[in-house]
Amino acid sequence: MSVTTPEIQSQLDSLVSLETGEIDRRIFSDEQIFDLEMKYIFGRAWLFLCHESQIPKRGDFFEAPMGRDNVLVVRQRDGDIKVLLNTCTHRGNAVCRAEEGNVKNFMCTYHGWTFGLDGELIGVPGMSTFYANGLDKSKHPLRQPAQVAGYRGFVFATFDPDAPPLEEFLGPTGILSLDLIAEKGDMEVVPGIQKFVLRCNWKFTVDNVFDFYHPQITHMSAIAVGAIPVTSNVIDDGGAKNEEGQDLGVAQLSTDMQAITMLGEYGHAISGPSQLAVEAQIPQEYRSVFDWRHTPETQAKLGPNGSLVGGHPHIFPTTWLTVDSQLSLRIPRSPGVTEVWWFSFRDKNASPEEKAAQLSRQIHAFGPAGMLEQEDGENWSQSTMQTRGDQSRRVPQALKMGIRRGKIRHEDGLNIIESPVNEYAQLWTYYAWKEWLKNPSWDELRTRTVPGDLL
Ligand code: FES
Ligand code: FE
């Protein structure tokens, strides 16, 4: 007997517990939960689509996902931006097969209906013959999401007409997340978005964004060959030892690394080592990555707390920004399949040498050629696979690191925890996720996702 939507919704509190840090593995493989995610998260949230620098000229377009829909972000003749659903209003075919480019209009390859840059239906083959002029073209434009807005060049849209304005949705945590890239200069996206598919649930890719427990183990080989710029600053702490008490060398963690975690409304979060910890651990040749942080203007813009962030920001549900100016979308395709996109940013005014060095760092870290995500992807695939075993799926996930010890300081609209490496942001993301799935009003959702004083 299938479980109904209200039944699943009534079980959500038992699937994710802030008190115990335990999470039911069913959330990673259940088809009905995936459908609810599409409806109540991706059907409502503001979703990142692209950066304005990708579509500078009129007729430029970029195709982006919004849940299971695809949209075209199109630069208009007057310089404005419109977002059009990429489905023909005749019989549904995609009106554009390219992922990005420049067009004068969109002609559907099925029967030739043609739409202007603004989505209006402007051409119908056989209008006077087959249709006897009986078709009202004004009634068949390409559909558009309910709201489109931008923040410092980052373009977002939502299907929900009742969603709060973008900047209200982002809140101080989401805005700081975008500022951490936008403040670096006159930023533009490097042409060519890296795209690849992983056989894992999308939430594994999201909770790993904040995971600074895994690099020393998962990325041991990347560290060894210098793909991760970390100086050796590892302290033995609880790693496996042999009978003589000698370190077995496989589970050492840098416990001296101080972390800053910021928990935001609607499930946004920033977490990872503090800026000071990062700068203390990276080799000299990578220090230039952080130079921009030290100007008085940047410090003033980011504020005293924002200036301390050295870890990863995440805008709920699926937009991750990295320290080295990359943005990743984790796109759910099914409970067990996630597509990952990487946008790499650079300062337009940087020298050719700086641009080349940054791009080299970026593509060697993340994306299909990056060492990190190849290693991460293996873990996420295995973790997803084990959530399907009859016995394995009954074992709860344990996100207990630092639990009930996270004292939250509320300052500048931010909710800050200063502590060693932890799992607060992961737990916060899952907590917010289950509140989204209950489909409350926006006011109610915001109220429920305002962090208290302890996590
Ligand atoms: Fe597009 Fe027929 S489906 S013209
Ligand atoms: Fe990783």
Side-chain angles (χ1 to χ4, degrees):
M1 194 177 72
S2 71
V3 183
T4 65
T5 296
E7 272 179 82
I8 295 178
Q9 287 179 305
S10 71
Q11 296 167 14
L12 287 167
D13 286 330
S14 68
L15 298 179
V16 176
S17 169
L18 277 188
E19 281 66 42
T20 64
E22 294 191 354
I23 294 172
D24 192 314
R25 290 185 179 177
R26 185 173 138 196
I27 74 168
F28 299 104
S29 56
D30 187 291
E31 293 276 355
Q32 284 176 297
I33 286 179
F34 186 82
D35 285 344
L36 286 191
E37 290 171 340
M38 289 296 117
K39 201 165 156 188
Y40 295 141
I41 296 177
F42 294 88
R44 295 185 75 191
W46 281 97
L47 301 169
F48 171 79
L49 304 180
C50 73
H51 189 260
E52 284 206 34
S53 62
Q54 295 175 261
I55 47 169
K57 300 190 299 293
R58 64 183 180 189
D60 283 352
F61 71 90
F62 181 79
E63 189 188 43
M66 289 183 71
R68 282 185 276 221
D69 293 299
N70 291 317
V71 295
L72 300 161
V73 190
V74 188
R75 182 71 71 176
Q76 301 296 297
R77 295 184 200 285
D78 63 1
D80 198 9
I81 287 174
K82 278 196 194 305
V83 178
L84 311 171
L85 213 53
N86 189 8
T87 180
C88 181
T89 49
H90 178 216
R91 299 252 289 280
N93 186 28
V95 295
C96 178
R97 305 294 184 89
E99 296 172 3
E100 55 189 300
N102 182 277
V103 290
K104 290 195 170 52
N105 49 53
F106 297 101
M107 191 198 78
C108 177
T109 55
Y110 202 164
H111 311 92
W113 281 26
T114 301
F115 302 85
L117 297 180
D118 58 0
E120 289 300 318
L121 178 58
I122 54 175
V124 175
M127 185 65 171
S128 62
T129 50
F130 303 145
Y131 283 103
N133 289 319
L135 182 77
D136 183 351
K137 293 207 295 275
S138 71
K139 292 211 161 49
H140 302 278
L142 297 179
R143 302 302 195 259
Q144 300 181 28
Q147 302 185 61
V148 179
Y151 176 77
R152 301 189 78 177
F154 297 87
V155 181
F156 288 74
T158 169
F159 287 122
D160 188 347
D162 298 326
L166 173 63
E167 290 190 29
E168 210 175 300
F169 170 78
L170 293 170
T173 310
I175 284 174
L176 173 61
S177 301
L178 297 175
D179 283 345
L180 284 165
I181 285 188
E183 270 304 297
K184 290 180 176 174
D186 191 0
M187 303 306 281
E188 65 177 4
V189 172
V190 179
I193 307 306
Q194 294 185 285
K195 303 175 179 180
F196 60 105
V197 174
L198 293 171
R199 303 192 75 74
C200 67
N201 183 269
W202 67 277
K203 294 185 289 300
F204 281 116
T205 72
V206 170
D207 93 24
N208 185 259
V209 162
F210 310 114
D211 190 323
F212 285 82
Y213 187 33
H214 80 288
Q216 295 88 344
I217 305 302
T218 296
H219 302 308
M220 200 178 277
S221 55
I223 292 170
V225 298
I228 301 184
V230 179
T231 52
S232 176
N233 190 16
V234 168
I235 294 176
D236 181 4
D237 173 54
K241 296 194 181 342
N242 65 16
E243 286 171 1
E244 282 78 47
Q246 291 166 325
D247 173 29
L248 290 177
V250 291
Q252 298 181 332
L253 308 168
S254 51
T255 51
D256 60 339
M257 193 161 72
Q258 279 301 302
I260 303 276
T261 299
M262 294 177 177
L263 307 176
E265 298 78 14
Y266 303 119
H268 313 311
I270 303 176
S271 189
S274 76
Q275 178 64 17
L276 295 175
V278 171
E279 292 197 32
Q281 293 206 8
I282 59 167
Q284 192 64 39
E285 63 267 29
Y286 284 92
R287 297 278 158 87
S288 65
V289 174
F290 301 99
D291 285 350
W292 67 279
R293 294 251 194 176
H294 299 298
T295 67
E297 299 77 34
T298 304
Q299 299 256 333
K301 175 74 187 172
L302 298 179
N305 293 301
S307 302
L308 284 177
V309 170
H312 291 151
H314 186 258
I315 296 170
F316 192 90
T318 49
T319 303
W320 169 27
L321 300 111
T322 74
V323 176
D324 207 359
S325 306
Q326 287 178 285
L327 182 153
S328 179
L329 276 184
R330 338 292 268 174
I331 305 161
R333 295 302 190 197
S334 72
V337 177
T338 300
E339 194 164 325
V340 177
W341 287 13
W342 281 99
F343 300 70
S344 297
F345 286 79
R346 67 185 174 197
D347 182 356
K348 273 184 202 161
N349 304 316
S351 67
E353 294 75 24
E354 284 169 328
K355 286 179 180 171
Q358 182 178 32
L359 189 58
S360 171
R361 286 195 308 270
Q362 290 169 329
I363 59 181
H364 280 93
F366 297 111
M371 281 197 75
L372 301 190
E373 242 160 13
Q374 295 183 35
E375 296 169 331
D376 288 323
E378 287 296 318
N379 291 336
W380 303 335
S381 295
Q382 283 297 323
S383 295
T384 300
M385 197 184 297
Q386 308 318 321
T387 65
R388 299 197 198 105
D390 280 344
Q391 298 302 315
S392 305
R393 73 179 175 205
R394 297 178 200 186
V395 182
Q397 302 291 93
L399 292 162
K400 294 170 184 263
M401 193 180 293
I403 192 165
R404 312 309 291 163
R405 285 189 282 125
K407 289 200 177 53
I408 302 177
R409 177 164 57 85
H410 305 279
E411 214 172 281
D412 305 332
L414 300 165
N415 311 288
I416 306 157
I417 305 174
E418 289 176 73
S419 70
V421 167
N422 59 75
E423 289 172 336
Y424 299 130
Q426 291 96 319
L427 197 51
W428 184 248
T429 305
Y430 287 115
Y431 165 76
W433 169 88
K434 68 138 165 118
E435 294 302 327
W436 276 83
L437 287 200
K438 292 176 187 170
N439 195 31
S441 70
W442 279 97
D443 282 348
E444 185 61 26
L445 180 59
R446 189 179 186 288
T447 303
R448 290 187 204 166
T449 54
V450 173
D453 296 327
L454 189 72
L455 192 70

